[in-house]
């Protein structure tokens, strides 16, 4: 059989029913709990819909932040930069039930007035809670409509956030590691036009 990969392929191993999704984002979700901002770190976060823009954040049911999301029916998703890796990890270790996390960041508010956002984070998404999903497991999924987004000029390129300027933190779950972003590989909806379909599915990019 023709060798189509870059390295000699071994047989695929079964790794079990686990969420091996690579990469994962590292975000800080904010909500006011008992009148004070609280932030927790989450990697279970993803886009649900483009128009109107909706995002899902999946939180363990026991977390402190959940109370605030339910009470105020709004929350924020903040994208920390690599320069915030320590404080981001701290927010993922320490619960608002045990420690006051309201003073860690400079908080600002937007149009919803009750979704605390982190000034130090390059990008902020202000979300109105539109639905809560419970699949009977350990987590609950909050679906938010993004009503506004925020970034300083220094993080933009042609009016949209630039991933190289943001320097987001990438997360790998089962080995518990944080990473920076890698190099640019090509333009989306463009490089695919070069694909011949003749056994060149895997190419080596520097
Ligand atoms: C890298 C990292 C990723 C995490 N991802 C999630 C997540 O996706 N969902 C979740 O519920 N908790 C996640 N956690 C755990 C919470 O952030 C943590 O339990 C936090 O202390 C809860 O804060 P709170 O009780 O103040 O809401 C993560 C923690 C770390 C360090």
């Amino acid at each position: 059989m023709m060798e189509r990969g870059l390295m000699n392929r071994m047989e695929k191993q079964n790794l079990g029913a686990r969420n091996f999704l690579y990469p994962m984002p590292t975000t800080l979700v904010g909500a006011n709990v008992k009148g004070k901002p609280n932030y927790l770190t989450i990697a279970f976060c993803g886009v649900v819909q483009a128009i109107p823009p909706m995002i899902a954040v999946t939180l363990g049911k026991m977390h402190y932040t959940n109370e605030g999301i339910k009470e105020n029916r709004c929350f924020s998703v903040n994208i920390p930069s690599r320069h915030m890796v320590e404080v981001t990890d701290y927010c993922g270790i320490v619960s608002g039930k045990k420690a006051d996390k309201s003073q860690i960041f400079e908080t600002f508010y937007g149009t919803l007035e009750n979704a605390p956002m982190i000034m130090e984070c390059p990008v902020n998404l202000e979300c109105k809670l539109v639905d809560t999903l419970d699949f009977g497991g350990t987590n609950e999924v909050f679906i938010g409509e993004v009503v506004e987004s925020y970034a300083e000029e220094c993080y933009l390129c042609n009016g949209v956030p630039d991933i190289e300027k943001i320097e987001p933190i990438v997360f790998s779950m089962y080995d518990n590691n944080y990473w920076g972003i890698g190099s640019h590989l090509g333009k989306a909806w463009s490089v695919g036009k070069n694909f011949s379909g003749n056994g060149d599915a895997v190419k080596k990019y520097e």
Side-chain angles (χ1 to χ4, degrees):
M1 197 174 121
M2 196 170 70
E3 182 58 59
R4 290 158 65 104
L6 290 171
M7 45 191 165
N8 289 334
R9 293 264 167 85
M10 310 292 282
E11 288 223 344
K12 289 269 187 192
Q13 294 183 27
N14 290 17
L15 300 179
R18 301 175 81 187
N19 282 319
F20 289 122
L21 181 65
Y22 298 90
M24 295 180 84
T26 309
T27 66
L28 287 160
V29 167
N32 277 342
V33 189
K34 300 183 173 73
K36 281 195 210 174
N38 192 72
Y39 300 100
L40 91 163
T41 308
I42 75 153
F44 293 11
C45 176
V47 167
V48 169
Q49 174 169 276
I51 304 169
M54 287 190 190
I55 199 161
V57 297
T58 301
L59 272 62
K61 288 175 183 171
M62 79 299 290
H63 293 327
Y64 190 61
T65 312
N66 307 35
E67 290 178 33
I69 296 176
K70 289 173 187 169
E71 186 190 329
N72 300 301
R73 300 197 61 79
C74 59
F75 60 92
S76 68
V77 178
N78 306 268
I79 314 295
S81 80
R82 60 182 304 179
H83 308 290
M84 299 172 69
V85 70
E86 277 186 17
V87 71
T88 300
D89 196 51
Y90 174 84
C91 290
I93 297 170
V94 176
S95 172
K97 287 179 184 168
K98 293 258 168 70
D100 181 359
K101 293 190 266 185
S102 67
Q103 300 301 314
I104 294 175
F105 305 107
E106 185 180 342
T107 291
F108 74 99
Y109 291 93
T111 50
L112 297 175
E113 295 179 356
N114 223 348
M117 287 175 279
I118 300 174
M119 195 62 94
E120 291 87 342
C121 283
V123 178
N124 318 92
L125 306 178
E126 186 180 17
C127 304
K128 182 177 73 179
L129 182 67
V130 293
D131 208 349
T132 305
L133 307 177
D134 183 341
F135 299 103
T138 52
N139 295 93
E140 50 195 346
V141 184
F142 297 107
I143 311 288
E145 181 178 342
V146 180
V147 297
E148 191 54 272
S149 55
Y150 304 85
E152 287 160 65
E153 171 73 35
C154 61
Y155 296 113
L156 303 180
C157 183
N158 300 323
V160 294
D162 181 310
I163 194 164
E164 280 194 298
K165 294 178 178 171
I166 298 167
E167 298 185 274
I169 304 166
V170 175
F171 176 63
S172 55
M173 180 159 71
Y174 287 95
D175 58 4
N176 293 345
N177 280 304
Y178 298 112
W179 306 85
I181 62 159
S183 55
H184 181 246
L185 296 179
K187 287 298 287 180
W189 282 279
S190 177
V191 289
K193 293 171 191 162
N194 301 328
F195 177 59
S196 73
N198 292 323
D200 60 348
V202 183
K203 291 184 186 172
K204 190 164 171 57
Y205 291 92
E206 291 307 323

